[in-house]
Amino acid sequence: MTNFRPLHDRVVVRRLEGEQKTVGGIIIPDTAKEKPMEGEVVATGPGARNEQGQLVALDVKAGDRVLFGKWSGTEVKIGSEELLIMKESDIMGVIG
């Protein structure tokens, strides 16, 4: 990824690819696949400001595997890579 720094409480996430086959071994064509809701945090902003104006750091960091909503984030292309930019509140949790 090129030099890109998200602002405030935004997070850049790289989608992790879903399974290519079902448990029974049937190959899933691209047109039938659902977009994965799991990804890896690539970069984070410094955090949001609370009502007193103090900076509140984010709970996620680069390298975390996260689970997010199916329609969360905005898809962007940075360099040659397809990424998602979303607010930290769109992330449901950290895996592992």
Side-chain angles (χ1 to χ4, degrees):
M1 184 173 91
T2 60
N3 291 335
F4 177 81
R5 183 177 51 92
L7 299 176
H8 310 293
D9 63 338
R10 288 186 176 77
V11 179
V12 179
V13 175
R14 177 184 302 118
R15 236 185 250 276
L16 297 177
E17 288 303 314
E19 287 295 317
Q20 305 294 325
K21 293 182 189 177
T22 64
V23 175
I26 298 169
I27 296 174
I28 304 168
D30 286 339
T31 55
K33 281 187 210 171
E34 288 200 18
K35 290 186 176 183
M37 298 185 314
E38 188 177 324
E40 178 185 357
V41 175
V42 177
T44 63
R49 297 222 176 252
N50 63 16
E51 293 171 6
Q52 291 77 34
Q54 300 164 326
L55 191 65
V56 178
L58 301 182
D59 288 331
V60 296
K61 62 187 179 314
D64 283 350
R65 285 183 63 163
V66 295
L67 193 65
F68 49 87
K70 186 180 282 193
W71 308 111
S72 297
T74 301
E75 293 181 353
V76 296
K77 191 168 186 172
I78 300 175
S80 62
E81 200 168 12
E82 302 255 348
L83 300 167
L84 287 168
I85 297 176
M86 64 184 72
K87 288 191 170 256
E88 184 188 36
S89 59
D90 290 337
I91 295 174
M92 293 186 261
V94 177
I95 300 170

